[in-house]
Amino acid sequence: MKKGFLVPVMLCASFTSQATDYFYNPVISSSERYTSNISLRPTSTANWISKLSPGLNVGLRNDNVDLKSNFTWNQLFYTNNSQLNISEQLFNIDYQHRRGRLQWGLEGSFNHQSSLNNLNTVQGFTLAQVMVKQLNIAPTVSYALTELSSVSLNYTFTKADYEKNTSSYLSSYDYHQLSGTFTHLYTEHDKLNATVSGSRYKIPTRGLTTFNEVGQLGWQHSFNDQLVTYVSAGMNYAQSDAHSQVGLFQPFDLNGFILYEDPNSGELFPNQSYKTVNINTSGIGGVFQASIKKSFERASISLVGSQNQTPTSQGLQTQSQLTLNPTYTITERWSSGMSANYSIYKMPAAQNVFNNDRTYASVNPNINWKWTPEVNVGLSYTYRQQEYKNSNQIREDNGVQLQLTYQPKINNQVK
């Protein structure tokens, strides 16, 4: 893996004669976490989870190029359920290049991770641990037309493969999205933007394909350096094509034996016969985002409200979300923060067979101490709550985590 890191570093260095800073920073993190309901089931199952995460940050930078990469190995131990013990591998890379008015870059990652650790997935919480290999590639390019206007083009590709999966909520998929944005600095305090995008979400094993087209206008206003607001709104058009197996015969109980009756001939058969039916749905929905951020001398607070539509294995899902994030610097070595979230998930009525509409809320206060220049200690508490519309049961989880991170200081190399 270290050889893989050196390849892009050597390539980039060979194309420039500028002074270049190379850096490599090993990182070791360990944590102990208690959770009262790890998968947010109606009946809780408590667990102590120990995690050891060695990692390595490698990269280079000069006047035109920034290249950063990270590899992390997570080893997790579940005290009350050793069969969940697992290893995860996470790799990501970020490349940015600037040349005059033109800037381009590439972000990528490859993660081999457990679905159990994806706390707030768009499809709810998994009831079993399933490993997923996920590849993400996102090239970007932007160009400054004038001092006030610029255009950018972004492409995203995601491919996820679930291993030994028996859950219909976690299906292997691939996702493509292409978007273009025009940005204009209207005044010193006002920035306008317009975005159009198109995407395709496909689950080959289920014959499900969803196309999305979104158009959105946005406005950012800076009252001053400490207070910034943003609002955007638009429309989303979605079209889904799916294949479904429909039974042709009616079940018939003959003295305790289930047979299947042909409604046309009245003949009985021991097995059901199926046909494939194509289901096409389409719809238009609104998308928006509004945010406000206020900065103080030693603190900041942001409030974001949004609504968007996300394709899932169960159909197009509408997510309305409200997020609050305050932070406060206590001293040079002590800092604190909090993340609070409330979300409403809704499925289209035509596709919501199992009525998976739900609400999800979480609160996560934390405090961090810079013990030494190389060692950081963090303590956090997490409360999670989820409630499905088709159930009166509120699923709750309380968790506490203590984390220790060691990052030795290593001098950068200059060439």
Side-chain angles (χ1 to χ4, degrees):
M1 184 59 68
K2 293 183 179 179
K3 293 181 179 179
F5 286 134
L6 294 176
V7 172
V9 173
M10 295 173 63
L11 287 176
C12 291
S14 65
F15 290 118
T16 178
S17 59
Q18 302 176 7
T20 302
D21 293 336
Y22 301 88
F23 64 89
Y24 58 96
N25 298 318
V27 181
I28 300 177
S29 176
S30 64
S31 66
E32 187 70 24
R33 178 164 65 102
Y34 170 80
T35 173
S36 63
N37 191 355
I38 189 171
S39 57
L40 278 183
R41 299 187 183 186
T43 57
S44 62
T45 303
N47 251 294
W48 283 97
I49 306 169
S50 303
K51 182 168 74 170
L52 181 63
S53 302
L56 181 66
N57 299 320
V58 178
L60 63 81
R61 64 174 69 93
N62 58 33
D63 292 340
N64 294 329
V65 173
D66 280 317
L67 176 63
K68 297 179 291 185
S69 62
N70 167 266
F71 175 75
T72 301
W73 182 292
N74 292 332
Q75 187 69 46
L76 293 99
F77 305 93
Y78 293 77
T79 304
N80 300 336
N81 195 348
S82 59
Q83 66 180 5
L84 294 178
N85 294 351
I86 207 161
S87 298
E88 299 179 329
Q89 298 82 40
L90 313 176
F91 171 75
N92 64 73
I93 188 169
D94 181 7
Y95 173 78
Q96 299 295 327
H97 192 107
R98 299 167 296 275
R99 185 178 294 275
R101 295 184 177 185
L102 184 65
Q103 178 174 334
W104 67 90
L106 174 68
E107 294 183 11
S109 66
F110 179 78
N111 299 329
H112 187 218
Q113 194 173 16
S114 166
S115 62
L116 196 62
N117 297 320
N118 298 331
L119 296 181
N120 188 14
T121 68
V122 294
Q123 296 148 329
F125 293 84
T126 61
L127 300 180
Q129 182 162 259
V130 180
M131 293 299 291
V132 55
K133 293 180 180 179
Q134 183 166 310
L135 173 67
N136 298 281
I137 301 174
T140 64
V141 60
S142 62
Y143 183 75
L145 301 173
T146 66
E147 293 182 356
L148 302 178
S149 302
S150 64
V151 292
S152 62
L153 188 65
N154 305 275
Y155 170 73
T156 300
F157 169 73
T158 301
K159 183 175 177 58
D161 292 314
Y162 290 90
E163 304 172 2
K164 299 179 181 179
N165 181 26
T166 59
S167 171
S168 61
Y169 293 93
L170 299 175
S171 300
S172 298
Y173 67 90
D174 60 76
Y175 178 77
H176 302 260
Q177 183 185 51
L178 181 65
S179 64
T181 300
F182 172 77
T183 303
H184 177 67
L185 186 63
Y186 185 65
T187 69
E188 182 181 355
H189 299 284
D190 298 284
K191 183 183 293 185
L192 307 177
N193 64 72
T195 301
V196 292
S197 67
S199 65
R200 190 205 72 176
Y201 175 87
K202 184 176 182 180
I203 301 179
T205 58
R206 300 184 58 188
L208 172 66
T209 304
T210 300
F211 296 94
N212 268 12
E213 289 82 36
V214 180
Q216 200 164 3
L217 299 176
W219 170 38
Q220 176 182 297
H221 179 71
S222 302
F223 292 91
N224 49 52
D225 293 340
Q226 289 77 39
L227 182 60
V228 179
T229 61
Y230 178 78
V231 61
S232 66
M235 299 297 294
N236 176 86
Y237 173 76
Q239 179 180 343
S240 295
D241 301 319
H243 304 304
S244 178
Q245 296 292 321
V246 177
L248 298 177
F249 302 152
Q250 298 294 328
F252 182 83
D253 189 348
L254 181 62
N255 298 325
F257 294 96
I258 301 299
L259 299 176
Y260 298 90
E261 180 182 14
D262 186 341
N264 297 320
S265 64
E267 187 177 356
L268 297 177
F269 296 90
N271 298 309
Q272 176 69 278
S273 182
Y274 296 91
K275 69 174 180 179
T276 300
V277 177
N278 294 327
I279 302 175
N280 301 317
T281 59
S282 61
I284 297 177
V287 294
F288 70 85
Q289 178 178 328
S291 67
I292 180 169
K293 183 175 182 178
K294 173 66 175 176
S295 300
F296 303 91
E297 182 178 355
R298 300 170 64 178
S300 68
I301 185 171
S302 65
L303 179 65
V304 180
S306 64
Q307 176 177 292
N308 56 64
Q309 295 182 312
T310 307
T312 73
S313 62
Q314 307 301 305
L316 192 67
Q317 180 174 248
T318 301
Q319 175 182 344
S320 303
Q321 187 174 56
L322 185 65
T323 303
L324 176 68
N325 288 291
T327 64
Y328 180 71
T329 302
I330 303 170
T331 67
E332 291 184 357
R333 300 174 65 180
W334 287 88
S335 62
S336 62
M338 186 184 74
S339 176
N341 168 66
Y342 181 77
S343 300
I344 301 174
Y345 298 89
K346 290 186 176 181
M347 303 292 295
Q351 297 172 317
N352 201 6
V353 179
F354 300 104
N355 197 2
N356 286 323
D357 293 350
R358 71 187 196 281
T359 60
Y360 171 77
S362 68
V363 179
N364 176 224
N366 62 81
I367 187 168
N368 296 278
W369 175 38
K370 192 172 184 179
W371 186 6
T372 71
E374 299 179 337
V375 179
N376 288 277
V377 181
L379 178 65
S380 64
Y381 164 77
T382 301
Y383 172 77
R384 302 181 296 155
Q385 175 186 296
Q386 183 167 246
E387 182 178 8
Y388 283 88
K389 189 175 181 180
N390 63 355
S391 172
N392 294 324
Q393 294 177 317
I394 296 178
R395 310 175 183 197
E396 296 178 305
D397 172 49
N398 290 277
V400 180
Q401 176 172 288
L402 177 65
Q403 180 165 320
L404 181 69
T405 303
Y406 172 66
Q407 184 171 353
K409 299 296 182 181
I410 297 178
N411 293 330
N412 293 344
Q413 302 177 9
V414 180
K415 180 178 180 181

